[in-house]
Amino acid sequence: MTTPNVRIAEHYRQLIRDGALRPGDQLPSVRAMSEEHGAATATVRAAMGWLRTEGWIVTTQRGSFVADEPTNTTAPADRLERVRRTGSILAKGETKRVLSAATIVPPLYVAELFDQDPGMRVIRREYVIGSGRARLALEVDWFPLAFEELVPDLLSTAPNAGANLFVQIETGTGRTVTHGRDAMHGRAADQREAAHLGIATGDPILAGAHEWSDADGVIVYGEWCLPQRLTIGYEYKI
C-alpha cells in the first residue's frame, strides 16, 4: 500500500515531468499542500524531503523551488533488510569508527523531516565504515532528540558502542520501522568526504540518503557516500 508521503511526492514529480512546474517555479507552502492533499504537515514535509534528496527541488529560506535539472534517481536498497536481520548496517568483516556523536541544531531540511521548528536539536552521529585498511563508506545519521535518554549509545563514540544500535532503538523507544526509502545519485566528493574516504577531492562518489519511519514519524534519517571503486547490489523476489 502506498503511503501518503509517497503519493504526494509522486504528484509533484509528475507535475515537474509534465512541465506543469518548470525550473525555478515555487511550490506551494507546506501548509497549503497539507490542506490541498488532506495530509498532516509532517507527511508533506517528508514528501518534500524526498524530492530534495532526489534532486527535483531545492529549498531556501524563501521556500521550495523546482531544481534547474530535476532527475529521478530513486532506487530500492537492502540496508533496512540487513538491519532487520542482524541489528546492524555492517556486513560480515566490516567495522565502524564513530567520528562524532552529539546533539546539534540541524540544517533546515533535516528539521523539516523530523517535523520540528528551526533551532530545535536532534542527535547526529557520523562514522566511517571500513574493511581492513579500506574505507568503504562515510555516513551521517540523524535521530529525534527524545531518543537521547532512551538509547544512551546514540551519543557514545566508544569502539563497541552501537554495534546493535538499531535493536537498542526499537527496544528502548518501543517504535518499529514500518516504512523505508532510499535515494541515490552520483556526484563529486567534497573535501571532507574525500579526506574520510581516502580519495581526492572531486573524485566521483555514489551519494545517498535513507529515511526509516513509522506512523509517528521519522526514526532515523541518514546520508552516506561510497567511493567509486565499490559495487552495490540488491536481492529481491519477483
Side-chain angles (χ1 to χ4, degrees), residues 46-125:
M48 295 301 100
W50 281 110
L51 292 177
R52 279 191 296 273
T53 300
E54 295 164 10
W56 294 99
I57 66 173
V58 294
T59 299
T60 71
Q61 295 293 340
R62 297 184 296 113
S64 293
F65 301 83
V66 178
D68 289 339
E69 297 181 358
T71 54
N72 189 351
T73 58
T74 56
D78 66 352
R79 293 166 60 85
L80 180 56
E81 179 57 28
R82 180 193 295 174
V83 171
R84 276 262 174 254
R85 294 194 310 267
T86 68
S88 171
I89 65 167
L90 302 180
K92 185 176 180 180
E94 293 180 353
T95 58
K96 180 169 71 174
R97 178 167 61 91
V98 181
L99 304 174
S100 63
T103 64
I104 70 165
V105 176
L108 178 61
Y109 72 94
V110 175
E112 289 185 341
L113 282 172
F114 284 99
D115 191 27
Q116 61 186 41
D117 296 329
M120 295 179 65
R121 303 174 76 84
V122 298
I123 298 170
R124 179 186 185 275
R125 287 176 60 84

Side-chain angles (χ1 to χ4, degrees), residues 8 14 36 39-40 63-64 75 83 92 94 104 109 112 115 129 133 147-148 160 166 181 186 200 212 222 233 236:
I8 293 170
Q14 194 62 52
E36 177 183 352
S64 293
V83 171
K92 185 176 180 180
E94 293 180 353
I104 70 165
Y109 72 94
E112 289 185 341
D115 191 27
I129 294 174
R133 298 181 63 181
F147 290 7
E148 180 178 6
N160 295 324
F166 198 77
R181 181 167 177 161
W212 298 341
Y236 47 88

Side-chain angles (χ1 to χ4, degrees), residues 140-152:
V140 176
D141 286 335
W142 312 80
F143 303 88
L145 184 63
F147 290 7
E148 180 178 6
E149 295 183 0
L150 301 173
V151 190

